[in-house]
């Protein structure tokens, strides 16, 4: 089995103008932006190959490596002269938004030369990849979720699979909230009422609580812990660094790595309280 070329190639893909860029700390960002690798990714190279090669237009993206090979030095796809390989598209969970629907379309479409072609179904151009999936009938039933579970089952660990389609049991949480509320001391109840009044009224505020945690009633609450060990004590607990994409090494120029329109940004926007 040794002395053989790799038989599986990982196929990257990305939304418009969101291709990953790798650079060193001391590089000038203007020089980085002018690099060929920024505008000539493997995925964009697939578009270019479909424009010039009729044989390329007969293949889906995942089947493309069976006939073509990607040359990193020239940033182009060329016809395969030796053995064929198997393509594998990066896995994206369903809650990732538009990039998940883009990946879903890539399993069926052949020969697109741009993003607009991917969103064009039966001559109609749709405003989003999600709408294009609906037009193709890919979202009419539970097939997308079934396919996702089957695909993840080949490589996902048990803990990941359990969380893949996790939905909190709201009825159970309501019962827990009522039970915990009865256990509050007078001092804790004053704190609880003050915080919930700020949440319900939309007034907002910042509170420092030193003691036991309290729970939100029916609101979307983000609960973050001070450490990884502490996060294990909370249902769905996450560290602040994980939940808010905070860099581990901080300086005066550091920002949270939260993209506009992403699932995380939408979650934080909907959250009524952060504990």
């Amino acid at each position: 089995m040794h002395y053989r070329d790799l038989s599986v190639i990982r196929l990257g893909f990305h939304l418009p103008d969101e291709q990953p860029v790798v650079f060193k700390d001391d590089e000038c960002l203007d020089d980085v932006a002018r690099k060929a690798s920024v505008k000539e990714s493997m995925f964009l190279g697939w578009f270019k190959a479909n424009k010039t090669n009729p044989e390329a237009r007969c293949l889906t993206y995942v089947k493309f490596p069976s006939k073509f090979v990607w040359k990193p030095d020239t940033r182009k796809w060329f016809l395969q002269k030796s053995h064929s390989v198997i393509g594998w598209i990066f896995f994206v969970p369903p809650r990732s938004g538009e990039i998940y629907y883009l990946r879903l379309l890539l399993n069926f479409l052949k020969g697109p030369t741009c993003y607009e072609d991917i969103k064009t179904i039966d001559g109609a151009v749709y405003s989003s990849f999600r709408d294009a999936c609906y037009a193709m009938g890919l979202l009419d039933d539970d097939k997308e979720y079934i396919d996702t579970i089957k695909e993840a089952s080949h490589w996902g660990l048990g803990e990941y699979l359990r969380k893949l389609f996790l939905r909190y049991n709201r009825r159970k949480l309501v019962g827990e909230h009522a039970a915990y509320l009865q256990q509050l001391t007078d001092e804790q109840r004053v704190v609880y009422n003050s915080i919930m009044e700020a949440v319900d009224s939309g007034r907002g505020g910042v509170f420092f609580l030193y003691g036991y945690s309290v729970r939100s009633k029916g609101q979307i609450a983000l609960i973050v812990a001070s450490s990884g060990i502490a996060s294990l004590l909370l249902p769905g607990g996450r560290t602040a660094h994980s939940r808010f994409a905070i860099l581990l090494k901080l300086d005066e120029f550091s920002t949270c790595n939260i993209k506009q329109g992403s699932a995380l940004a939408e979650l934080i926007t909907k959250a009524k309280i952060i504990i």
Side-chain angles (χ1 to χ4, degrees):
M1 61 181 292
H2 301 288
Y3 306 103
R4 294 181 58 185
D5 293 331
L6 190 65
S7 58
V8 178
I9 181 173
R10 301 170 70 183
L11 299 173
F13 66 103
H14 52 82
L15 295 174
D17 298 324
E18 292 189 12
Q19 55 265 43
V21 180
V22 180
F23 59 92
K24 298 180 180 179
D25 290 341
D26 57 353
E27 287 188 272
C28 175
L29 293 183
D30 291 334
D31 295 337
V32 172
R34 286 192 290 266
K35 284 185 177 181
S37 58
V38 174
K39 299 181 180 180
E40 298 177 2
S41 65
M42 177 185 290
F43 186 57
L44 297 179
W46 179 53
F47 287 159
K48 293 183 179 179
N50 289 331
K51 292 179 181 178
T52 59
N53 195 309
E55 189 173 357
R57 292 192 288 270
C58 299
L59 302 171
T60 61
Y61 190 39
V62 71
K63 294 292 185 181
F64 209 67
S66 65
K67 296 290 183 66
F68 292 82
V69 60
W70 172 254
K71 299 291 185 180
D73 52 345
T74 59
R75 314 297 299 178
K76 292 182 179 179
W77 288 95
F78 294 90
L79 277 172
Q80 188 78 260
K81 295 182 179 180
S82 57
H83 72 292
S84 63
V85 299
I86 299 172
W88 176 67
I89 304 180
F90 285 103
F91 178 80
V92 177
R95 54 178 175 268
S96 300
E98 274 292 271
I99 195 169
Y100 167 75
Y101 298 106
L102 170 60
R103 185 185 189 278
L104 195 59
L105 290 167
L106 293 179
N107 292 319
F108 298 94
L109 297 181
K110 300 178 181 178
T113 59
C114 61
Y115 285 101
E116 292 299 315
D117 288 350
I118 298 179
K119 293 189 287 187
T120 302
I121 308 299
D122 295 332
V125 181
Y126 292 87
S127 59
S128 67
F129 297 114
R130 185 173 186 268
D131 291 341
C133 285
Y134 269 110
M136 285 193 67
L138 301 179
L139 306 181
D140 289 341
D141 50 31
D142 294 331
K143 184 178 183 299
E144 59 163 328
Y145 299 104
I146 295 173
D147 291 341
T148 300
I149 293 174
K150 287 182 177 179
E151 181 178 354
S153 68
H154 294 302
W155 58 268
L157 298 178
E159 182 180 1
Y160 177 84
L161 294 176
R162 284 192 295 271
K163 293 182 178 179
L164 183 59
F165 290 101
L166 183 65
R167 302 290 175 267
Y168 286 105
N169 189 330
R170 296 191 176 187
R171 182 175 300 178
K172 180 181 178 182
L173 291 177
V174 170
E176 289 182 354
H177 170 263
Y180 285 123
L181 194 59
Q182 296 298 322
Q183 300 173 18
L184 295 181
T185 65
D186 292 340
E187 184 181 18
Q188 291 173 335
R189 188 176 292 273
V190 170
V191 174
Y192 173 86
N193 291 335
S194 299
I195 295 176
M196 293 312 304
E197 190 277 328
V199 173
D200 294 335
S201 65
R203 175 172 53 86
V206 178
F207 303 86
F208 178 78
L209 175 64
Y210 183 78
Y212 296 103
S213 63
V214 295
R215 303 209 176 194
S216 167
K217 55 173 185 178
Q219 305 282 7
I220 296 180
L222 299 184
I223 304 178
V224 296
S226 58
S227 69
I229 296 177
S231 69
L232 299 177
L233 305 177
L234 302 173
R238 301 277 291 274
T239 63
H241 283 79
S242 173
R243 171 54 70 197
F244 299 111
I246 302 174
L247 300 178
L248 295 179
K249 296 183 179 180
L250 301 177
D251 55 38
E252 61 271 27
F253 304 107
S254 298
T255 58
C256 295
N257 187 24
I258 302 175
K259 297 181 179 179
Q260 291 184 352
S262 65
L264 178 56
E266 183 180 356
L267 175 64
I268 296 176
T269 300
K270 291 182 177 180
K272 296 296 184 180
I273 181 173
I274 298 174
I275 303 176

